[in-house]
Amino acid sequence: MSSVHPSNGSFFGEPRPNAVGRAALVPHSGCVRELDAASSERLLWYGEDLIRAKLPPGSRVVYPKPTIPGLRDRDAGIRHALEHPEEADPLQAQLRPGMKVTIAIDDISLPLPKMKRPDVRESILTQVLGLLEAAGVHDVEIIIANSFHRRMEPFEIRWSVGRRIFDAFHPHKLYCHDGEAPGGVVELGETELGERVRINRRAAESDLLIYININLVPMDGGHKSVGVGLCDYASLQAHHNPQTILASDSYFDHTRSPLTDSCNRMGRIVNDKLNVFHIETVVNNRMFDPKMEFFTKPEDEWNALDKVSFRIAQIGLQAMSRQAKRKLLFAVPAPYQMIAVHAGSTDPVHERTLAYTYQQYCVPVEGQSDVAVFGVPFICPYNVHAPMNPLLVRCLALGYFFNMYRGAPIVKKDGVFILTHPLYNEFSPEHHGAYHEFFHRCLAETRDSEALQRKYEAEFARDPEYRHMYRRGYGYHGVHPFYMWYWAENGASHCGKVIVVGAEDKISAQVMGWDCADSVEQAIEMAQTFLGRKPSVTHVHIPPINMVDVAA
């Protein structure tokens, strides 16, 4: 059992209420709109700003699904999941005095933006640590499963786990995973395909490994949590490579992703060697404070308050410097709510989780379009408290947004992908030092992923300065920009042309092989010339997170 779950095996089964909470079925109606001449102006993110753009009459706009209400009692839902896990003994029954327990939690890349206090990690840790204390378990450490992401700063950790837990455990018993620590990673074995399974030594040598996960998209969680979050370069090479990425038909459809398949193979070895207890949560798509909820509505349904709120937000942002806007936007937490929590064995827990993520995000859409339009915001999983450099714009647009589908991509093969973003050539020296060199040195020679992998990846992975920035500073690992380039490869290879609207640095667009336009209208005209016909156009309204379920 678990706190809330679908009434059948379908990923679109209707969740049923129980004693601790309920999640209502989200209707599909109203999410796809066809525009006429009188209502063709739509709102898009443009980095740290909001812009209005006119789309041709007949264009479709896909809006996010309505928000699934959060559980009425979060703490009761967590307690119920721990006491009634999926295909595992209750957590309390697995504890004994003197055992060695490691708890792993997701890093700063989840959720986006940060959620209002208390974060679900704090809520779950509070109950889990209470059970451990009551059972006489004192050898407990908490590891942030950041893989080759940057380390979290103390203030960021404190926000995630709460001041009481932070003060009790940080820094010696609450810390970030270090995939480069000498002797800090052990090898558990190899899969049938030769994929090396290597994870954090402390986690591997524990009597019990508990993983606390936040699921924001279907790609999160499952075997990926431990096998990727706590691994090293040798393990990442198995799936973070151009070949696996190009073979993936949507990272967000777990049934068609070789990336997921690789993680699953590796995860089975983890579970064969270790006692792993997963706790997975799902949050809804309530990304915006009520004062900003106008952004989730169709523009023709805005009331007077929505219109005033939009103008205030737009004028206020325009009056601020980019640095000030960025600081403000990162500071505002999202009012996410937990809609499900499940605990126990990896696969059955994750199956329950996927049911909720697909139900919250997937909007049924009939057919593909010649042109897809996306507004690219100020944030992605890899630039929290930093600029969105051009490499991350590409990753977010062609890696994440393009792959947010099941069935088929929203844009036809060899169609046109239009994105709006200022594309400023700005790299954080603290977070993205390796990115700067990769972008300006490696891409000046080639955009071919396999050539980049062959010629440069090992050099960046072993670079002592980048390793030091990852281990002792707050830099992403030296190999991370390669992963970001690979991540967008299936989207880049699918699209015949990519056009960025409003690029301030056209050289950056040129480096990535993109065309530039001054407006969405001009970009659509360019698409028509490229395609040789009047194109069909679909704008997928993001954020909040929005997935299309395309019937091709």
Side-chain angles (χ1 to χ4, degrees):
M1 294 178 64
S2 57
S3 64
V4 286
H5 57 274
S7 57
N8 55 49
S10 166
F11 285 145
F12 291 94
E14 181 175 359
R16 65 187 182 211
N18 62 24
V20 296
R22 71 183 301 274
L25 182 67
V26 176
H28 294 153
S29 61
C31 294
V32 181
R33 296 291 182 89
E34 183 171 321
L35 305 183
D36 56 30
S39 61
S40 63
E41 194 172 74
R42 299 290 118 169
L43 176 64
L44 290 84
W45 277 99
Y46 173 70
E48 293 85 355
D49 290 295
L50 301 170
I51 61 171
R52 301 293 290 265
K54 287 188 176 181
L55 300 174
S59 299
R60 294 183 305 186
V61 182
V62 182
Y63 289 95
K65 291 175 75 173
T67 297
I68 295 176
L71 297 181
R72 291 194 299 265
D73 189 332
R74 179 194 290 187
D75 291 335
I78 294 167
R79 186 164 53 252
H80 184 86
L82 299 178
E83 294 172 353
H84 303 85
E86 306 282 345
E87 298 182 20
D89 292 332
L91 180 58
Q92 187 174 22
Q94 297 191 42
L95 306 178
R96 64 181 186 277
M99 71 188 303
K100 183 177 185 178
V101 174
T102 296
I103 305 169
I105 62 174
D106 286 334
D107 73 350
I108 198 170
S109 61
L110 292 166
L112 298 173
K114 66 183 179 183
M115 68 188 304
K116 286 186 175 180
R117 299 280 315 279
D119 188 291
V120 295
R121 284 166 287 211
E122 178 182 354
S123 298
I124 296 174
L125 279 168
T126 298
Q127 294 201 34
V128 168
L129 292 171
L131 291 174
L132 294 171
E133 179 69 24
V137 179
H138 303 299
D139 187 356
V140 179
E141 294 186 12
I142 304 169
I143 302 177
I144 299 164
N146 52 286
S147 190
F148 273 13
H149 297 172
R150 71 168 175 87
R151 295 191 308 134
M152 292 175 67
E153 297 198 48
F155 78 93
E156 296 169 329
I157 300 172
R158 187 184 302 111
W159 184 280
S160 296
V161 305
R163 181 172 294 278
R164 187 172 66 86
I165 294 171
F166 179 86
D167 291 344
F169 285 85
H170 188 268
H172 301 296
K173 292 182 179 295
L174 167 58
Y175 51 88
C176 293
H177 167 68
D178 182 353
E180 291 284 5
V185 174
V186 297
E187 188 151 342
L188 302 182
E190 290 189 6
T191 70
E192 61 272 23
L193 298 184
E195 299 148 316
R196 298 174 67 185
V197 182
R198 296 169 55 82
I199 72 164
N200 181 282
R201 178 179 292 276
R202 163 73 197 199
E205 294 177 351
S206 295
D207 299 303
L208 176 64
L209 172 60
I210 302 170
Y211 198 105
I212 299 171
N213 170 265
I214 298 175
N215 276 81
L216 199 62
V217 294
M219 188 175 61
D220 301 330
H223 289 288
K224 182 173 176 282
S225 295
V226 173
V228 175
L230 296 175
C231 76
D232 67 355
Y233 181 48
S235 282
L236 289 171
Q237 285 177 292
H239 35 66
H240 281 52
N241 59 67
Q243 298 78 20
T244 302
I245 296 303
L246 278 169
S248 294
D249 185 0
S250 177
Y251 316 135
F252 294 86
D253 183 344
H254 71 288
T255 66
R256 301 166 71 176
S257 171
L259 173 68
T260 297
D261 294 341
S262 178
C263 292
N264 289 346
R265 286 190 297 270
M266 299 170 79
R268 285 190 284 270
I269 290 180
V270 171
N271 286 356
D272 184 57
K273 301 287 187 179
L274 309 179
N275 181 18
V276 183
F277 188 84
H278 279 264
I279 307 169
E280 292 198 351
T281 67
V282 185
V283 296
N284 57 21
N285 66 353
R286 199 170 174 224
M287 184 177 285
F288 296 107
D289 182 92
K291 294 188 291 295
M292 290 285 286
E293 283 183 345
F294 65 86
F295 192 76
T296 66
K297 296 181 182 179
E299 287 81 348
D300 45 311
E301 292 184 4
W302 283 4
N303 56 34
L305 180 59
D306 294 327
K307 294 175 182 177
V308 170
S309 297
F310 163 69
R311 288 299 296 157
I312 291 173
Q314 186 181 46
I315 293 170
L317 289 171
Q318 289 174 347
M320 301 170 69
S321 69
R322 181 166 288 153
Q323 187 175 19
K325 283 185 279 196
R326 195 176 292 145
K327 184 176 181 179
L328 172 66
L329 291 167
F330 280 126
V332 178
Y336 291 119
Q337 298 170 316
M338 191 174 76
I339 59 175
V341 54
H342 306 89
S345 298
T346 310
D347 289 321
V349 165
H350 197 53
E351 181 180 349
R352 298 295 193 186
T353 294
L354 287 171
Y356 279 88
T357 56
Y358 286 137
Q359 188 174 86
Q360 176 64 96
Y361 298 125
C362 281
V363 177
V365 176
E366 290 295 327
Q368 299 171 286
S369 289
D370 298 312
V371 174
V373 180
F374 288 83
V376 177
F378 63 96
I379 191 171
C380 79
Y382 316 111
N383 78 308
V384 178
H385 301 131
M388 178 93 85
N389 62 61
L391 186 55
L392 290 178
V393 173
R394 181 181 187 267
C395 174
L396 183 60
L398 295 175
Y400 281 90
F401 289 175
F402 171 84
N403 280 279
M404 286 182 176
Y405 71 86
R406 298 201 304 177
I410 193 64
V411 62
K412 295 176 182 177
K413 176 64 177 172
D414 297 324
V416 178
F417 192 104
I418 297 173
L419 62 125
T420 61
H421 192 274
L423 203 69
Y424 34 77
N425 190 345
E426 187 179 354
F427 292 78
S428 165
E430 182 181 25
H431 295 170
H432 300 128
Y435 280 62
H436 186 275
E437 182 181 1
F438 173 86
F439 192 81
H440 291 94
R441 174 187 162 209
C442 302
L443 293 183
E445 180 177 327
T446 180
R447 292 195 292 265
D448 181 87
S449 286
E450 292 192 7
L452 290 163
Q453 178 191 39
R454 191 167 53 248
K455 185 169 183 179
Y456 292 114
E457 184 182 302
E459 173 194 338
F460 276 66
R462 297 169 184 154
D463 185 282
E465 182 179 354
Y466 293 146
R467 291 175 73 180
H468 180 78
M469 292 171 69
Y470 162 75
R471 298 196 64 213
R472 303 300 179 210
Y474 297 102
Y476 284 82
H477 194 279
V479 79
H480 201 260
F482 289 81
Y483 297 159
M484 297 298 93
W485 187 260
Y486 305 158
W487 207 251
E489 278 299 83
N490 62 354
S493 65
H494 179 91
C495 298
K497 183 180 286 292
V498 178
I499 304 172
V500 56
V501 174
E504 296 175 4
D505 183 57
K506 292 180 170 53
I507 294 177
S508 290
Q510 183 180 355
V511 167
M512 296 187 290
W514 293 357
D515 290 347
C516 296
D518 295 328
S519 66
V520 172
E521 298 94 315
Q522 183 187 20
I524 292 172
E525 289 176 3
M526 293 166 60
Q528 181 169 331
T529 300
F530 172 75
L531 295 166
R533 63 181 182 276
K534 183 178 179 180
S536 55
V537 177
T538 297
H539 165 46
V540 181
H541 187 98
I542 292 177
I545 293 169
N546 192 358
M547 267 183 81
V548 290
D549 211 344
V550 179

